[in-house]
């Protein structure tokens, strides 16, 4: 995957994205994650890879200081159309190279972003960089099982699935290893499809 290819893929996905990833099991999972989390007006909140704004629909966003970024203008426009007349700042931006100062946000939310960016390590490093000390990262994504190597079948189809814009073999533990001296895992819970999708909450 690369940025140009991802932009092209999600231009195609944008009209139908909500039909797949904001309904059924995905919608129920998002509800579990965000109905358990309260935000307040004193916090600076960043949604990384906001897509069509599926997460934003599940929180009481009025009065909150929210910045939402996405690399796909088509996906971002879908989100903007849902949230007119509000204070959410929508920015077209590469999650692997954010135009924000260090330690700028109290909460960073990354739903289904680490598994779709060309370089998950860069994206995760950026999420950590822009997070304030004692801040919190909330992740909802798919990862390979802890302590297990991918099956031969998964290894075989992984390159093909990547062409469609997502990675089915991403290992969270390897991502975390590079930043473990700065972070603490507060919660790591299976959410969907026998633990393939996980909710992970990290504090800095």
């Amino acid at each position: 995957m690369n940025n140009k290819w991802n932009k092209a893929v999600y231009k195609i996905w944008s009209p139908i994205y909500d039909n797949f990833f904001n309904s059924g099991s995905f919608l129920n999972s998002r509800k579990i994650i965000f109905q358990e989390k309260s935000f307040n007006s004193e916090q600076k909140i960043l949604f990384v890879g906001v897509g069509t704004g599926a997460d934003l629909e599940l929180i009481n966003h009025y009065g909150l200081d929210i910045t939402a970024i996405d690399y796909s203008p088509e996906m971002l426009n879908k989100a903007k159309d849902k949230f007119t007349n509000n204070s959410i700042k929508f920015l077209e931006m590469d999650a692997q190279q954010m135009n924000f100062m260090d330690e700028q946000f109290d909460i960073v939310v990354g739903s289904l972003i680490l598994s779709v960016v060309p370089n998950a390590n860069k994206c995760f490093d950026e999420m950590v960089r822009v997070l304030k000390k004692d801040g919190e990262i909330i992740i909802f994504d798919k990862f390979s099982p802890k302590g297990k190597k991918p099956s031969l079948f998964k290894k075989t189809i992984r390159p093909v699935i990547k062409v469609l814009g997502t990675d089915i073999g991403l290992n969270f533990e390897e991502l975390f290893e590079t930043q473990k001296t700065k972070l603490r895992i507060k919660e790591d819970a299976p959410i969907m499809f026998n633990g393939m999708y996980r909710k992970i909450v990290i504090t800095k």
Side-chain angles (χ1 to χ4, degrees):
M1 293 187 291
N2 59 55
N3 276 347
K4 285 186 177 181
W5 179 251
N6 262 22
K7 186 170 281 191
V9 168
Y10 282 93
K11 181 177 182 177
I12 296 169
W13 268 111
S14 59
I16 58 173
Y17 184 89
D18 282 345
N19 295 334
F20 290 91
F21 299 106
N22 195 20
S23 63
S25 296
F26 283 98
L27 178 57
N28 291 335
S29 296
R30 291 181 193 274
K31 286 180 177 178
I32 291 171
I33 291 167
F34 293 104
Q35 287 178 355
E36 293 177 353
K37 179 63 184 177
S38 60
F39 302 95
N40 66 66
S41 59
E42 301 299 315
Q43 297 169 324
K44 290 178 67 67
I45 305 161
L46 174 65
F47 283 77
V48 180
V50 72
T52 61
D55 292 340
L56 296 174
E57 295 180 86
L58 299 175
I59 67 173
N60 183 9
H61 51 81
Y62 293 102
L64 297 181
D65 185 352
I66 295 175
T67 302
I69 69 169
D70 204 280
Y71 193 64
S72 165
E74 289 79 15
M75 298 286 275
L76 202 61
N77 286 334
K78 294 279 285 187
K80 288 179 182 178
D81 289 343
K82 294 178 181 179
F83 300 96
T84 56
N85 301 319
N86 63 66
S87 60
I88 300 172
K89 296 179 283 293
F90 291 99
L91 302 173
E92 185 178 335
M93 190 181 298
D94 185 355
Q96 302 162 114
Q97 194 173 3
M98 299 186 209
N99 300 326
F100 299 123
M101 296 183 297
D102 294 353
E103 301 189 351
Q104 187 170 339
F105 296 96
D106 298 282
I107 298 175
V108 176
V109 179
S111 287
L112 308 180
I113 180 64
L114 291 170
S115 60
V116 303
V117 292
N119 191 317
N121 286 94
K122 284 185 178 180
C123 181
F124 186 62
D125 289 350
E126 282 290 272
M127 292 167 72
V128 174
R129 180 183 68 79
V130 302
L131 184 71
K132 291 181 181 179
K133 186 177 179 182
D134 298 323
E136 190 173 80
I137 297 174
I138 302 170
I139 294 170
F140 167 52
D141 218 322
K142 60 180 175 295
F143 299 104
S144 57
K146 297 180 191 178
K148 294 183 180 180
K149 293 183 178 180
S151 66
L152 179 59
F153 175 72
K154 185 174 282 190
K155 286 181 179 179
T156 303
I157 66 170
R158 186 181 183 187
V160 178
I161 300 298
K162 275 189 174 184
V163 172
L164 299 177
T166 190
D167 187 357
I168 60 171
L170 186 63
N171 186 292
F172 174 75
E173 284 65 41
E174 290 178 2
L175 282 179
F176 185 79
E177 182 69 21
T178 64
Q179 294 282 356
K180 67 178 183 180
T181 58
K182 302 177 184 176
L183 306 173
R184 178 177 66 86
I185 297 176
K186 184 177 178 181
E187 182 181 353
D188 185 352
I191 291 291
M192 197 172 75
F193 297 163
N194 295 319
M196 179 180 181
Y197 286 81
R198 290 151 64 183
K199 172 190 177 184
I200 300 172
V201 181
I202 301 165
T203 57
K204 188 174 185 180

